[in-house]
């Protein structure tokens, strides 16, 4: 047997063989050797160097992996921290805050863009809400101040309490009621809750009915209301909303008619849509006002409007109803010649 400590250059390996005589163990032969004993000195040095290189490269790989992972995770966490910071700012009411991230990771840049879009939308809505609240308080204040001053004049005896004067007050209250009703509709529109109950119906008949309801009102003031309606046109839309649209357009037209005032309503069926035209020969709308008439509270002719009790909400409601049906509305007008409203509703 060789003492394993004799050679440190390799592993000492021992193998045992039994010597048999007639199947009886008569002796044991143990062969021991060192596995690398055949290696030369230089081969042993090479082997050692190789072993050390493996160890060093292993350590370097682990360290490198660690550094890269720290670097990569910083690249991911920094933009996410930035986005979280923006979200927290928004939560505490700072809607001007935006996330600015520099990253090559698509998902993170999309997240940042989405949070910025959200901030932008919320900021716009906040602005709209503030403007709307201001507009409403202003709109309500005017008729209330008029009512109060009339009543005070009556109490002070400056204004006689007559049927005629009381009727003026009632008219003022009617205007206020209409304003509140219109506001209710615009609130629904703002919240995207404009209730639309679509059914199939004969729009030709429906328009004829609406026009015949309006005719007495027109003839009472000496105006003409005519129609040219294509027969048996079917549409899928909210019947009540059609009435609302026509009510707004026909009552508007009537307000701005002069002597020999005339309004004509047309219904034309095209390939993919239905066209409704309401054309009057009234006062017309100034070119500078025309682009804004569909905006909330916009009133082009303030002095005339005060007389007629307009709220500046009718056309904005009309537009949102038309758009809720996937349609479009536009206006053309010429001062002292008249105005034409065209509505396109998809079939
Ligand atoms: P209002 O309740 O004041 O009528 P609308 O939103 O219905 O509000 O109309 C906005 C403005 O557009 C009106 O104030 C008016 O100046 C103008 N307008 C609407 N329809 C007509 C029309 N047929 N002829 C002239 N001006 C019109």
């Amino acid at each position: 047997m060789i003492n394993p400590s004799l050679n440190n250059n390799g592993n000492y390996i021992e193998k045992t063989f039994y010597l048999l005589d007639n199947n009886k163990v008569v002796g044991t032969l143990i062969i021991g050797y060192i596995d690398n004993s055949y290696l030369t000195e230089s081969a042993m040095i090479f082997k050692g160097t190789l072993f050390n290189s493996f160890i060093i490269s292993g350590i370097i790989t682990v360290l490198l992996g660690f550094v890269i992972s720290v670097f990569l995770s910083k690249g991911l966490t920094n933009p996410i921290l930035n986005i979280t910071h923006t979200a927290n700012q928004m939560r505490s009411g700072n809607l001007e805050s935006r996330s600015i991230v520099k990253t090559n990771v698509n998902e993170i840049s999309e997240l940042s863009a989405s949070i910025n879009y959200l901030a932008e939308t919320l900021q716009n809505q906040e602005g709209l809400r503030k403007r709307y609240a201001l507009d409403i308080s202003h709109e309500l204040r005017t008729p209330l101040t008029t009512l109060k001053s009339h009543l005070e004049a009556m109490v002070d005896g400056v204004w006689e309490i007559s049927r005629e004067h009381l009727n003026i007050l009632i008219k003022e209250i009617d205007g206020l009621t209409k304003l509140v009703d219109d506001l209710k509709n615009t609130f629904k529109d703002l919240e995207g809750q404009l209730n639309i109950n679509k059914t199939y119906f004969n729009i030709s008949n429906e328009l004829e009915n609406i026009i015949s309801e309006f005719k007495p009102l027109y003839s009472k003031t000496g105006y003409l209301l005519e129609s040219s309606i294509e027969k048996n046109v079917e549409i899928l839309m909210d019947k009540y909303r059609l009435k609302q649209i026509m009510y707004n357009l026909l009552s508007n037209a009537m307000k701005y008619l002069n002597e020999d005032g005339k309004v004509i309503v047309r219904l034309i069926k095209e390939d993919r849509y239905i066209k409704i035209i309401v054309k009057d020969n009234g006062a017309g709308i100034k070119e500078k006002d025309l682009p804004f008439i569909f905006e909330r509270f916009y009133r082009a002719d303030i002095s005339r409007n005060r007389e007629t009790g307009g709220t500046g909400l009718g056309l904005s409601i009309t537009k949102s109803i038309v758009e809720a049906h996937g349609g479009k509305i536009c206006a053309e007008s010429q001062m002292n010649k008249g105005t034409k409203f065209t509505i396109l509703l998809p079939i």
Side-chain angles (χ1 to χ4, degrees):
M1 192 159 110
I2 297 168
N3 186 344
S5 63
L6 285 177
N7 200 326
N8 292 325
N9 290 333
N11 295 319
Y12 171 72
I13 295 168
E14 212 176 66
K15 282 194 175 170
T16 307
F17 299 94
Y18 296 104
L19 302 175
L20 302 173
D21 181 27
N22 275 340
N23 281 338
K24 261 193 183 164
V25 178
V26 289
T28 310
L29 178 65
I30 298 168
I31 300 174
Y33 64 94
I34 295 159
D35 61 354
N36 287 340
S37 58
Y38 55 87
L39 291 180
T40 61
E41 183 96 358
S42 53
M44 288 304 294
I45 293 171
F46 174 71
K47 192 190 161 205
T49 319
L50 201 65
F51 179 74
N52 288 343
S53 308
F54 276 137
I55 297 283
I56 292 168
S57 62
I59 292 170
I60 290 176
T61 312
V62 169
L63 281 178
L64 212 67
F66 180 71
V67 170
I68 290 175
S69 69
V70 167
F71 182 75
L72 276 181
S73 68
K74 275 254 173 259
L76 284 177
T77 49
N78 279 351
I80 290 177
L81 283 177
N82 187 305
I83 294 169
T84 314
H85 175 73
T86 311
N88 284 337
Q89 288 280 308
M90 282 163 64
R91 200 178 60 176
S92 55
N94 177 10
L95 295 175
E96 272 166 25
S97 173
R98 296 288 181 275
S99 97
I100 302 161
V101 294
K102 279 185 190 149
T103 173
N104 295 328
V105 185
N106 273 350
E107 285 76 6
I108 293 185
S109 19
E110 271 173 30
L111 182 67
S112 162
S114 301
I115 203 97
N116 286 345
Y117 179 76
L118 182 70
E120 190 87 35
T121 316
L122 286 175
Q123 201 182 5
N124 284 345
Q125 277 181 356
E126 178 74 2
L128 208 74
R129 218 171 44 137
K130 280 187 185 151
R131 213 195 75 195
Y132 202 50
L134 275 176
D135 283 350
I136 290 172
S137 50
H138 174 258
E139 294 304 314
L140 288 172
R141 183 168 284 276
T142 317
L144 284 174
T145 313
T146 319
L147 263 175
K148 190 173 176 231
S149 58
H150 284 350
L151 286 168
E152 275 171 353
M154 281 181 174
V155 171
D156 294 345
V158 188
W159 218 41
E160 192 196 334
I161 308 176
S162 64
R163 179 181 289 266
E164 185 196 345
H165 287 166
L166 287 173
N167 272 331
I168 293 176
L169 296 187
I170 290 176
K171 219 174 140 196
E172 206 65 52
I173 292 172
D174 284 344
L176 205 57
T177 315
K178 184 177 181 303
L179 174 63
V180 172
D181 282 346
D182 282 356
L183 283 173
K184 197 176 81 190
N185 276 320
T186 46
F187 270 131
K188 283 186 181 169
D189 166 32
L190 268 185
E191 290 165 14
Q193 288 180 345
L194 205 65
N195 241 349
I196 303 289
N197 291 317
K198 289 187 187 177
T199 49
Y200 273 106
F201 64 92
N202 185 321
I203 189 172
S204 316
N205 289 348
E206 197 56 33
L207 274 181
E208 293 286 13
N209 289 343
I210 297 169
I211 290 163
S212 54
E213 274 172 35
F214 261 89
K215 264 191 177 151
L217 282 176
Y218 270 70
S219 48
K220 213 165 87 181
T221 25
Y223 300 143
L224 260 179
L225 176 57
E226 291 180 350
S227 61
S228 159
I229 308 284
E230 220 176 286
K231 293 254 174 281
N232 291 326
V233 180
E234 290 273 324
I235 194 168
L236 175 69
M237 82 173 287
D238 189 322
K239 213 188 227 183
Y240 167 72
R241 298 293 179 186
L242 173 73
K243 265 195 176 165
Q244 237 184 324
I245 293 173
M246 293 312 293
Y247 182 87
N248 281 341
L249 294 183
L250 290 176
S251 50
N252 265 354
M254 202 168 80
K255 280 192 234 166
Y256 299 97
L257 288 178
N258 298 315
E259 242 176 80
D260 297 325
K262 187 171 120 180
V263 174
I264 177 149
V265 179
R266 287 200 174 87
L267 174 76
I268 304 156
K269 188 177 178 223
E270 306 270 348
D271 267 357
R272 288 171 29 218
Y273 51 83
I274 285 167
K275 199 189 254 182
I276 303 173
I277 297 171
V278 178
K279 188 170 181 280
D280 66 63
N281 64 351
I285 302 165
K286 284 192 191 115
E287 209 180 317
K288 74 169 178 55
D289 291 317
L290 202 57
F292 307 106
I293 56 166
F294 293 102
E295 280 185 16
R296 278 184 200 107
F297 298 115
Y298 194 86
R299 287 170 296 190
D301 190 343
I302 299 284
S303 58
R304 190 161 179 153
N305 242 288
R306 212 152 274 149
E307 258 170 55
T308 51
T311 61
L313 288 171
L315 284 180
S316 83
I317 294 170
T318 306
K319 187 171 182 240
S320 52
I321 296 175
V322 172
E323 286 176 353
H325 284 87
K328 274 184 187 159
I329 179 166
C330 64
E332 297 156 64
S333 189
Q334 256 185 302
M335 279 306 280
N336 302 320
K337 289 224 163 129
T339 308
K340 178 175 145 187
F341 285 93
T342 307
I343 296 174
L344 298 180
L345 292 167
I347 294 177

